[in-house]
Amino acid sequence: ETGVTQTPRHLVMGMTNKKSLKCEQHLGHNAMYWYKQSAKKPLELMFVYSLEERVENNSVPSRFSPECPNSSHLFLHLHTLQPEDSALYLCASSQDAGRNTIYFGEGSWLTVV
Amino acid sequence: QKEVEQDPGPLSVPEGAIVSLNCTYSNSAFQYFMWYRQYSRKGPELLMYTYSSGNKEDGRFTAQVDKSSKYISLFIRDSQPSDSATYLCAMSATGTASKLTFGTGTRLQVTL
């Protein structure tokens, strides 16, 4: 079992759909992150949660809505996305928000049609 | 100017070659430097972590930081086909992950 598990691994959704990405970490970490990875662009940090509290939101459009019910689980709710939102969405965790060694999941490939 | 520059490649080398992967940066405050390896359709995995200047070695991998030149390198000795992946550099001025700045990654192909 990997330390950070993401589901689904692949998702195709229409622009009017509502879907969610799920992340679970088995490392006992207190901080969790959502990143977006697009072709030929650096990783973009979207959200940071520390002990279930959102501590950072990097100007992400409201069509992306994160949820962190406990320190092991993180969701990204998706609603009325655009084709340019197609990307690899990576969940990550770290021991706490003050650490810079983060551990990534395998990612969820999202295609918006 | 991008804060972190990384040649996207692809870089193709024969098996057994020494590989040099590099990043340059503009923020002189950066002092934490990381290399991640990302296989196709997988998430990045932490490969090397260094603080400030100097070298760090781990098996076939050596990370080198030259803060005076704002330049970091990852060397891979005796490269193997299993090293074929995209290598991302990442760096920050503080010890917090939310302040990490990533490069775009260099795709490496090690051929038989």
Side-chain angles (χ1 to χ4, degrees):
Chain A
E1 186 178 66
T2 58
V4 181
T5 305
Q6 289 187 243
T7 55
R9 293 295 317 281
H10 301 271
L11 177 64
V12 179
M13 60 184 288
M15 288 190 283
T16 58
N17 291 160
K18 284 185 182 181
K19 297 285 184 184
S20 296
L21 305 181
K22 179 183 174 183
C23 176
E24 183 175 0
Q25 58 95 1
H26 312 275
L27 301 168
H29 288 170
N30 291 321
M32 297 187 76
Y33 311 80
W34 280 116
Y35 282 87
K36 177 183 178 183
Q37 188 175 35
S38 305
K40 300 186 180 179
K41 287 187 176 180
L43 283 170
E44 299 172 51
L45 179 64
M46 300 175 72
F47 301 104
V48 182
Y49 276 83
S50 176
L51 295 169
E52 302 127 55
E53 181 180 335
R54 192 190 312 179
V55 296
E56 198 151 336
N57 175 347
N58 282 352
S59 305
V60 179
S62 59
R63 57 186 184 270
F64 294 92
S65 174
E67 179 191 359
C68 187
N70 56 62
S71 59
S72 298
H73 292 86
L74 186 64
F75 294 89
L76 188 62
H77 302 300
L78 314 169
H79 177 49
T80 58
L81 296 191
Q82 304 298 311
E84 60 264 29
D85 296 322
S86 299
L88 177 66
Y89 288 85
L90 291 161
C91 175
S93 70
S94 64
Q95 190 166 348
D96 54 60
R99 305 292 178 107
N100 58 17
T101 46
I102 55 175
Y103 299 87
F104 288 92
E106 300 212 319
S108 294
W109 284 94
L110 172 67
T111 303
V112 182
V113 297
Chain B
Q1 182 189 11
K2 290 180 186 174
E3 208 167 9
V4 177
E5 298 270 6
Q6 189 175 7
D7 188 328
L11 176 63
S12 184
V13 301
E15 184 179 8
I18 296 175
V19 176
S20 172
L21 302 166
N22 312 296
C23 286
T24 58
Y25 61 94
S26 57
N27 188 344
S28 58
F30 285 154
Q31 51 182 344
Y32 299 88
F33 304 93
M34 279 140 270
W35 286 96
Y36 283 83
R37 178 175 62 195
Q38 185 173 21
Y39 290 115
S40 180
R41 308 192 80 79
K42 301 281 189 181
E45 57 178 320
L46 182 63
L47 201 57
M48 299 287 280
Y49 176 103
T50 51
Y51 171 71
S52 195
S53 284
N55 292 0
K56 183 174 182 179
E57 190 173 318
D58 184 1
R60 296 185 295 111
F61 298 90
T62 299
Q64 192 173 80
V65 174
D66 182 349
K67 289 184 71 180
S68 61
S69 301
K70 297 193 186 72
Y71 189 88
I72 69 170
S73 300
L74 178 70
F75 297 97
I76 307 175
R77 289 184 300 280
D78 186 26
S79 56
Q80 304 294 311
S82 57
D83 295 326
S84 298
T86 297
Y87 290 80
L88 306 169
C89 63
M91 49 197 81
S92 75
T94 68
T96 53
S98 64
K99 305 305 177 190
L100 276 174
T101 301
F102 285 84
T104 51
T106 298
R107 189 157 67 89
L108 172 67
Q109 182 78 33
V110 181
T111 56
L112 291 169

